[in-house]
Amino acid sequence: MVHKISGALTLGAALMLSASAFAQDKRVVTWNADYDPIPLAAAEALIADFEAANPDIDIQMTNFDHEAYKNAIRNFLTANPPDLANWYAANRMRPFVEAGLFADISDVWAENGLTEALASSVPSSTIDGKQYAIPYTYYQWGIYYNRDAYKAAGVEPPGPEGVSWEQFLANCEAFKAAGIDCLTTSSLEQWPVAGIFDYLSLRTNGYQFHSDLAAGKISWTSPEVRAVFDEFAKLQPFVSAGHAAIKWQDAAALLVQGKAANFVMGNFAVGVFKEGGMTNDNLGFMVFPEITPGIPRAEEAPTDTIHLTSGAKNPEDAKKFLAFMASAEAQSKWNAAVGQLPTNKNATVDPADPFLSAGFAALSTATGGIAQFWDRDADAEYAKAGMEGFQQFLVQPDQLEAILERLEQTRLRLYPQ
Amino acid sequence: MAQASHTATIRRTGGRLSQRKIAPWLFLAPGLFMFTVYVLWPIVESVTLSFYDWNGLYNADGAFTGRFVGMGNYAELMRDPAFETSLWNNLKWLVLYMLALPIGLMIAIFLNQSVRGIRLYKSLFFFPFVISQVVVGLMFAWFYAPNFGLFFLLTEWITGKGTAILADPDLVTYGIIAAGLWPQIAYVMILYLTGLNNVAPDQIEAARLDGAKGWRMLWYVVLPQLRPATFIAVIVTVIGALRSFDLVSIMTKGGPFGESRVLSYYMFEMALGEYGFRMGYGAAIAVVLFLIMMVFISGFIWKMWRDETER
């Protein structure tokens, strides 16, 4: 059962929900979600499966507009908490956990052997040793490239193993000579630039260092961070000019049109590339090249999660549904419909989708670790300051000293030593 | 007998007096109630909130989770380079927005003639004010857009290298102000057009007989009669400049790296933006913005009060 409403109507719809619940004998579990049409249909299919297996439980989902949800959740968690709510892993859920609004569901993890099945997502679901989230999907980041652009510039397209960093930069020279942007991005929304920085940092200093940097434990003026910006500086001349004024969809258009060759992006962008006319023949994917040799490869894979709220009226049945969402069957089905990767290692991935298969392979062999993405690993305010710094560096690389100095001051203010 | 009727009169006057005292308050009551609930109370709330560090969440029991920090938010504002940028940008907005007055006046005078179809031309000039600021922002964002924007292609054609205004930290604020001026000029124009309707034709005729024309006619005869229109135009322009939020939000989201932020947008970013939810800090910015507006508002109120008492 699904209600589609906008944020302003929440209260009225919630009242209607409780009224309709009254009329039924079934035990009701309420779930607030923020799905776009395709994930919504997939979630409805899962609800139907769950209700067929548990005829005495009725899952009532209230679906919000994706952007409105980010504000709505702050109100409904205190004013009118549902049993279940969608959100994101790692630091993004921390404010709600610290305010006591998300409930501890370590028992669901323990009873269903999830630490084993969801092994790669344990760190991002855990705060202070307790689990607060059920991760049910993630997607890989990496470099998406246009084979036609490679051909036009006379550059050998990367093989399945990707290319070396030196080769990548050499290719960039060739693209520049051919009048093609080697790397496109958007910094109007600042997060795409954070993806580039994350990879440079992960490849230069490894997962643990990057994770400490995001947690405010590392000085921005340290030689290791400077090394990251040294690599960034090599890339900077090849990034599309005007990135600060375009949306990521506009940058995607540059890639589709062959005006740009590479794009560091998440797998959700494949849909946009294909809508623009690209096919599996000319759209390619490779993992970000190795920079410091020998560092275990870490990848970015932001995870979406479901949480039990502290104000849940029916926590028992809600936990049953959470266990269902963690299962391999449910995750295989939902992720196949949406085109993302299941977090359950026993789940299956459609082998006919080259990007999902490549992503699954890249993530399951990422021995370095799985990062959540800059704005989920770092605290919100710190993340924002960082992204502004990355953006400024792309526009004004000569301002590096001022940028690092400012970031360091922000760090010392937010994380007093 | 006479005595009795006398006391009755007094009693009646007393009743009328208190009626006279109560009646205005009764009539004012609905307005005062609204004003208190929707204006005064939020102001007090914002000022109070600005002394707290709060992420906007109540805990599961519904208790406020904020922490009192005294003047901490204001002390941080003083050291915050982003706040300084926003303040300077607000000043640029205030100064450059005033261009709407002379340009609006010029267009109004130009359109203040009777030729065939003048109503159509007037409404075409007024058009930018009718469309939403969001649409204005989108149109100008496309106009400036790198690679396909008309302005970008134009600069590319002239200088050989395209200028992406919204990606240039030095030009971005001017680019947004130009977009904001477009509807603001139309607004000022309409104010002056109605003002021009009320200019006394006999004075114009008298001035013409005395040999006044051109600039002197405008400066000494027309403009003094347009003073009420100018006053309103200044007010709406100042307010428009200070609340310049929508265009910044639509065109650049304050970027690149915060160079086009204004106070109202910075307040939104800090209090309600995706990476914000620092309610106290946002409230502190709101208080500063409120104080700046108060300077202008008090000025306007003082002038209006003076005009009323002089009459």
Side-chain angles (χ1 to χ4, degrees), chain B residues 48-110:
Chain B
T48 321
L49 200 53
S50 70
F51 299 122
Y52 284 86
D53 180 19
W54 183 44
N55 67 358
L57 287 177
Y58 294 92
N59 69 14
D61 309 323
F64 179 70
T65 59
R67 188 170 56 87
F68 185 79
V69 291
M71 297 299 284
N73 285 326
Y74 294 96
E76 195 187 326
L77 268 186
M78 292 301 111
R79 294 192 309 265
D80 185 350
F83 175 73
E84 201 186 312
T85 312
S86 315
L87 209 57
W88 275 114
N89 280 342
N90 259 93
L91 196 70
K92 286 183 197 165
W93 273 86
L94 263 177
V95 172
L96 289 177
Y97 237 46
M98 285 301 150
L99 283 176
L101 271 89
I103 302 176
L105 176 64
M106 229 114 73
I107 299 176
I109 292 172
F110 171 67

Side-chain angles (χ1 to χ4, degrees), chain A residues 74 375 381 384 388 391, chain B residues 55 257 261 269 275 278:
Chain A
R74 308 180 75 88
D375 68 352
E381 196 186 350
K384 172 126 179 107
E388 262 171 31
Q391 185 192 30
Chain B
N55 67 358
F257 46 92
R261 277 193 192 113
E269 240 184 336
Y275 304 108
R278 296 184 66 197

Side-chain angles (χ1 to χ4, degrees), chain A residues 85-380:
Chain A
N86 282 15
W87 197 238
Y88 309 102
N91 250 326
R92 283 298 284 270
M93 69 175 178
R94 185 175 288 273
F96 298 125
V97 171
E98 281 175 353
L101 296 170
F102 282 163
D104 174 11
I105 49 170
S106 304
D107 52 339
V108 180
W109 279 71
E111 283 162 24
N112 297 283
L114 298 183
T115 35
E116 189 62 25
L118 308 179
S120 63
S121 308
V122 174
S124 59
S125 306
T126 307
I127 290 181
D128 296 332
K130 295 173 185 158
Q131 281 79 45
Y132 290 92
I134 292 291
Y136 61 97
T137 182
Y138 59 4
Y139 49 87
Q140 83 274 16
W141 273 65
I143 298 180
Y144 291 85
Y145 60 91
N146 186 338
R147 286 203 173 86
D148 296 341
Y150 272 78
K151 247 174 248 159
V155 179
E156 179 75 20
E161 294 300 307
V163 292
S164 71
W165 183 232
E166 288 70 29
Q167 185 63 50
F168 188 82
L169 292 173
N171 289 350
C172 280
E173 293 285 358
F175 284 121
K176 187 156 199 161
I180 294 172
D181 296 340
C182 177
L183 184 70
T184 187
T185 193
S186 141
S187 63
L188 179 64
E189 301 109 341
Q190 293 162 342
W191 52 264
V193 180
I196 302 177
F197 174 82
D198 276 359
Y199 269 117
L200 290 168
S201 170
L202 287 168
R203 293 290 186 268
T204 310
N205 297 314
Y207 176 79
Q208 193 52 48
F209 185 90
H210 180 68
S211 164
D212 289 347
L213 181 67
K217 292 179 193 160
I218 307 270
S219 166
W220 286 92
T221 50
S222 67
E224 289 90 347
V225 174
R226 283 181 192 280
V228 176
F229 280 95
D230 285 346
E231 303 301 332
F232 211 168
K234 292 180 194 163
L235 201 55
Q236 190 271 341
F238 304 115
V239 175
S240 295
H243 56 82
I246 58 177
K247 295 187 171 150
W248 76 263
Q249 288 92 339
D250 298 328
L254 292 179
L255 185 84
V256 170
Q257 294 159 7
K259 290 179 186 164
N262 301 290
F263 196 179
V264 176
M265 253 293 140
N267 195 53
F268 55 86
V270 168
V272 176
F273 297 144
K274 289 193 171 169
E275 266 170 35
M278 294 189 84
T279 62
N280 290 350
D281 294 330
N282 57 7
L283 179 64
F285 170 81
M286 62 174 160
V287 295
F288 200 92
E290 178 176 63
I291 296 178
T292 305
I295 285 186
R297 184 166 53 80
E299 293 292 334
E300 295 233 78
T303 310
D304 290 355
T305 50
I306 305 185
H307 307 262
L308 179 69
T309 69
S310 303
K313 292 175 191 66
N314 186 1
E316 286 316 307
D317 292 326
K319 283 180 181 178
K320 242 182 233 176
F321 186 71
L322 285 178
F324 172 72
M325 281 302 282
S327 70
E329 304 78 60
Q331 292 203 359
S332 302
K333 186 167 177 179
W334 192 90
N335 285 292
V338 175
Q340 294 190 162
L341 295 168
T343 56
N344 190 313
K345 67 175 185 187
N346 304 317
T348 52
V349 174
D350 178 11
D353 186 326
F355 304 104
L356 280 187
S357 313
F360 193 69
L363 292 182
S364 50
T365 55
T367 48
I370 305 279
Q372 284 300 309
F373 203 71
W374 178 255
D375 68 352
R376 299 190 191 181
D377 286 326
D379 176 63

Side-chain angles (χ1 to χ4, degrees), chain B residues 65 83 119 145 213 216 248:
Chain B
T65 59
F83 175 73
R119 276 164 192 274
K213 52 178 136 161
R216 295 172 65 85
V248 176

